[in-house]
Amino acid sequence: MASVPSLASSVNQRVADALAAAMLKAGSAAGADPSPRPAGWGDPMLRRSDRADFQANGILALAKKAKANPRELATTVVEGMATGDLIQEIEVSGPGFLNITITDRAIIETLAARAGDDRLGVPLAANPGTTVIDYAQPNVAKEMHVGHLRSAVIGAAMVEILEFTGENVVRRHHIGDWGTQFGMLIQYLLEHPHELDHKSDAEVSGEEAMSNLNRLYKASRALFDSDEEFKTRARARVVDLQAGDPETLTHWQRFVDESKIYFYSVFNKLDMDIQDPDVIGESGYNDMLVETCKLLEESGVAVRSNGALCVFFDDVKGPDGNPTPLIVQKSDGGFGYAATDLSAIRDRVSNLGATTLIYVVDARQSLHFKMVFETARRAGWLGDDVKAVQLAFGTVLGKDGKPFKTREGETVRLVDLLDEAVERATAVVREKDENRGNLTAEEIVQNGLQVGIGAVKYADLSTSAARDYKFDLDQMVSLTGDTSVYIQYAYARIKSILGNAGDRTPVPHPELELAPAERALGLHLDQFGELIAEAAAEHAPHKVAAYLYQLASLYTTFYTECPVVKPEPELVVGENRLFLCDLTARTLSKGMSLLGIRTPEKL
């Protein structure tokens, strides 16, 4: 029997390594010098195929470099490859493609090695760095709406995926907690000191906190618009805030604290863990703003234009053809968003040791971040060893394809959207369980919560971040199609099968011949490690969602075509199928957890 492969070595990787070595040898024999190795040499360009397990397309590029006949070179590569326990058959197809079928033994042995590992054989990154990820950025004293959903959900998934690969991840929630609007709010609170008082000493709900803030905001805005004397006092209060007046700061902090009660209640509904030390708002960089401007001006990166401190770019112009600058400091001395963002970069690189900066921010801010990153590079704050990325996301649309609004044309409150999703999902779970009586009333409620929130997250994450997507709750909680519910039910079905297996246990049997559905399932399970590495490198959680949906679909075919418990198969066949069930369940659960979605044991 062949030696068991290492945990990190997938069948896909083993085939690619063997093929690359044979291609290098064949290319050298064809008269080309492989050292130094030209780009593309030994690259098998291996992918899954419907004609075999894998197809290799790299021979064509190699033949061109070696000035050889591609089909003849492909034949030489095949002759130079050992088959053994890994490869069952290789055939040359077309002008020089290779169709490769691997052995059943290789599939099961590789999966067996991975099954003994809590990480399912997914290797840690060879050279992990420190990623600071900026996501979930609500505004103080303002209600969270559907527009806040994507930054939170995408960012949280990327945190989980990156940490799973071994990256050191620092979370940052850059909340909007500074600006001229606080002059109005603070002045009103000073004149009406009990407006943010709580009804009792009991724990305050997020709804009560937001209700207090909404009421105070509306009242202060009405007074600001109607009373010139109040407007004057409010504007003076902005100056006090920026100057660090203790009384003003104390009242400002009340708004921040009240808003956090509300924020955390919403994030709790989203089943997201937000820690207070990670919430560093705009105010957290106030002490750096003057120095940031000074450094930019002294270095010549920024210049004064009409009194404002600006950074200009050759390729950024307005509709009139004139340059559109990044304004770091306004002509009245106030600081723009750019000053705060540039100060944050300085802090994250110098103090937090970031090697990668990820900003999960609306695509409509792409130009701003392009200019901010370029400015930071010119200033030397972003060196060649630091990567800055805007993980830009599209808009949440309604069923009509327009930005998601209420019937009255108002922005949809995030809590209302989440509550409706849970309500719809609970109804689906209850209806599905009516004839089975499998769940208690408490389990129906709990599962409805997990299915509903999972449905919202998955709908977001299964779409490439850069694309817009339609928010359709009917589709999101559907038991069929590409939904989280479909995946959750696949997981629950496997857990039920494993529970009904009696005294039989999951045992891999590499000596068995696999049915087509078993092979397809096994080969897809084999790709989990590469998939996670790819999703982490490309900041693409939608690739994890796509993998999981395909895994659940392949399992459904396997379940239909390959009896596991009833009718009871031969002992070793049943044990091997239980092994595939168990590994599939573990992979589904791990993958969903990386997306921030729970998988109930029973549904």
Side-chain angles (χ1 to χ4, degrees):
M1 178 173 163
S3 60
V4 175
S6 68
L7 288 177
S9 180
S10 67
V11 167
N12 182 62
Q13 188 61 53
R14 293 166 66 201
V15 172
D17 290 345
L19 188 53
M23 287 172 64
L24 282 170
K25 183 178 179 181
S28 180
D33 181 9
S35 181
R37 177 173 168 175
W41 267 76
D43 179 3
M45 291 174 62
L46 202 65
R47 62 181 179 82
R48 291 299 309 278
S49 170
D50 56 1
R51 298 188 177 186
D53 293 331
F54 300 100
Q55 185 177 84
N57 301 339
I59 300 286
L60 301 180
L62 179 61
K64 185 176 181 180
K65 289 181 173 67
K67 297 180 180 178
N69 179 287
R71 192 170 176 88
E72 291 178 1
L73 187 60
T75 302
T76 303
V77 170
V78 170
E79 292 171 349
M81 285 190 70
T83 51
D85 287 341
L86 175 62
I87 297 173
Q88 179 176 309
E89 181 184 3
I90 310 179
E91 66 169 4
V92 180
S93 172
F97 301 132
L98 297 183
N99 291 329
I100 303 169
T101 301
I102 61 174
T103 65
D104 293 340
R105 174 178 291 278
I107 295 173
I108 296 301
E109 282 185 347
T110 302
L111 296 181
R114 296 175 135 203
D117 174 37
D118 287 341
R119 294 179 52 80
L120 300 174
V122 178
L124 293 168
N127 298 297
T130 295
T131 292
V132 177
I133 181 164
D134 189 325
Y135 69 107
Q137 311 107 339
N139 294 310
V140 165
K142 290 186 179 179
E143 197 151 22
M144 292 177 69
H145 53 76
V146 67
H148 291 105
L149 178 66
R150 301 209 71 184
S151 177
V153 171
I154 295 169
M158 277 313 308
V159 167
E160 296 297 328
I161 292 168
L162 289 168
E163 285 188 333
F164 189 56
T165 66
E167 185 80 354
N168 174 40
V169 179
V170 180
R171 300 159 173 81
R172 279 294 176 265
H173 307 294
H174 192 87
I175 64 172
D177 65 352
W178 205 250
T180 56
Q181 73 275 16
F182 283 98
M184 175 184 78
L185 295 171
I186 293 168
Q187 187 61 36
Y188 189 87
L189 185 60
L190 279 163
E191 296 175 12
H192 304 81
H194 299 295
E195 282 298 301
L196 288 183
D197 289 354
H198 298 146
K199 296 176 182 177
S200 68
D201 293 333
E203 185 176 345
V204 182
S205 70
E207 280 291 320
E208 181 185 342
M210 195 64 242
S211 176
N212 287 343
L213 291 166
N214 271 336
R215 185 181 64 253
L216 191 150
Y217 183 87
K218 289 176 181 177
S220 64
R221 169 54 69 181
L223 193 58
F224 186 87
D225 291 340
S226 63
D227 188 329
E228 287 298 322
E229 291 184 359
F230 176 77
K231 183 181 291 187
T232 300
R233 295 196 299 275
R235 286 174 173 166
R237 188 61 57 183
V238 176
V239 177
D240 293 338
L241 177 65
Q242 293 172 341
D245 172 63
E247 182 186 33
T248 303
L249 285 175
T250 296
H251 283 74
W252 166 81
Q253 189 65 50
R254 288 192 66 187
F255 283 101
V256 174
D257 292 343
E258 195 77 3
S259 297
K260 282 183 177 180
I261 295 172
Y262 165 69
F263 295 159
Y264 294 163
S265 73
V266 178
F267 291 131
N268 187 54
K269 275 183 186 286
L270 267 172
D271 199 14
M272 282 176 52
D273 182 28
I274 303 289
Q275 297 294 329
D276 211 54
D278 302 329
V279 180
I280 310 292
E282 296 168 7
S283 64
Y285 306 99
N286 281 347
D287 293 344
M288 300 177 67
L289 301 182
V290 171
E291 184 181 29
T292 293
C293 291
K294 180 182 177 184
L295 291 171
L296 289 173
E297 190 167 13
E298 288 180 347
S299 65
V301 172
V303 295
R304 292 286 170 181
S305 176
N306 296 322
L309 185 63
C310 304
V311 182
F312 290 91
F313 308 85
D314 292 337
D315 59 342
V316 182
K317 292 181 170 61
D320 57 2
N322 293 323
T324 299
L326 179 72
I327 300 175
V328 184
Q329 188 176 27
K330 303 171 188 175
S331 57
D332 63 1
F335 299 101
Y337 290 122
T340 303
D341 288 332
L342 288 164
S343 298
I345 288 175
R346 290 176 56 208
D347 174 66
R348 292 167 184 182
V349 174
S350 299
N351 298 329
L352 300 179
T355 52
T356 301
L357 301 174
I358 300 177
Y359 292 78
V360 189
V361 182
D362 192 310
R364 289 170 291 189
Q365 296 187 43
S366 293
L367 179 59
H368 170 79
F369 279 98
K370 175 187 175 183
M371 293 194 290
V372 166
F373 295 159
E374 174 60 24
T375 299
R377 292 210 178 276
R378 292 181 187 178
W381 303 329
L382 278 178
D384 294 338
D385 57 340
V386 182
K387 180 168 64 172
V389 179
Q390 182 195 357
L391 207 176
F393 56 82
T395 304
V396 181
L397 307 175
K399 290 183 182 181
D400 58 2
K402 298 177 181 178
F404 199 20
K405 303 280 187 181
T406 65
R407 290 180 179 177
E408 292 74 29
E410 297 177 357
T411 303
V412 178
R413 295 197 327 155
L414 185 52
V415 288
D416 291 343
L417 181 150
L418 297 177
D419 287 344
E420 185 178 356
V422 170
E423 183 180 332
R424 296 273 194 97
T426 304
V428 170
V429 172
R430 182 177 289 110
E431 182 181 353
K432 181 76 172 176
D433 190 62
E434 273 183 358
N435 297 326
R436 297 182 301 164
N438 190 39
L439 302 173
T440 66
E442 184 179 346
E443 287 172 331
I444 289 174
V445 171
Q446 185 63 28
N447 286 357
L449 182 65
Q450 294 181 8
V451 170
I453 297 302
V456 171
K457 289 183 175 182
Y458 186 86
D460 195 311
L461 294 169
S462 59
T463 303
S464 172
R467 293 177 54 196
D468 300 341
Y469 79 95
K470 293 182 180 180
F471 195 93
D472 184 348
L473 273 178
D474 292 331
Q475 175 57 32
M476 288 179 186
V477 298
S478 173
L479 298 172
T480 59
D482 188 3
T483 67
S484 64
V485 195
Y486 177 76
I487 298 171
Q488 288 168 321
Y489 265 101
Y491 174 79
R493 173 183 285 170
I494 300 172
K495 298 302 288 186
S496 176
I497 289 171
L498 293 171
N500 293 330
D503 57 358
R504 285 176 296 163
T505 56
V507 179
H509 286 278
E511 74 279 6
L512 291 177
E513 181 179 343
L514 298 177
E518 291 174 306
R519 285 182 61 84
L521 181 62
L523 285 169
H524 194 66
L525 286 167
D526 176 66
Q527 294 178 308
F528 187 56
E530 278 102 345
L531 177 280
I532 295 300
E534 185 179 323
E538 298 178 13
H539 309 135
H542 71 279
K543 293 196 171 185
V544 178
Y547 172 89
L548 295 172
Y549 172 61
Q550 189 176 358
L551 179 58
S553 299
L554 288 169
Y555 181 80
T556 299
T557 302
F558 161 83
Y559 173 78
T560 302
E561 298 181 5
C562 304
V564 181
V565 177
K566 293 179 181 180
E568 186 173 324
E570 182 185 347
L571 178 62
V572 292
V573 172
E575 288 179 338
N576 198 60
R577 289 176 180 173
L578 282 170
F579 164 72
L580 288 172
C581 287
D582 183 61
L583 189 56
T584 300
R586 291 173 60 196
T587 305
L588 287 173
S589 181
K590 172 52 70 177
M592 291 288 266
S593 74
L594 295 179
L595 298 180
I597 300 173
R598 297 183 185 270
T599 43
E601 299 282 307
K602 292 194 302 180
L603 267 177

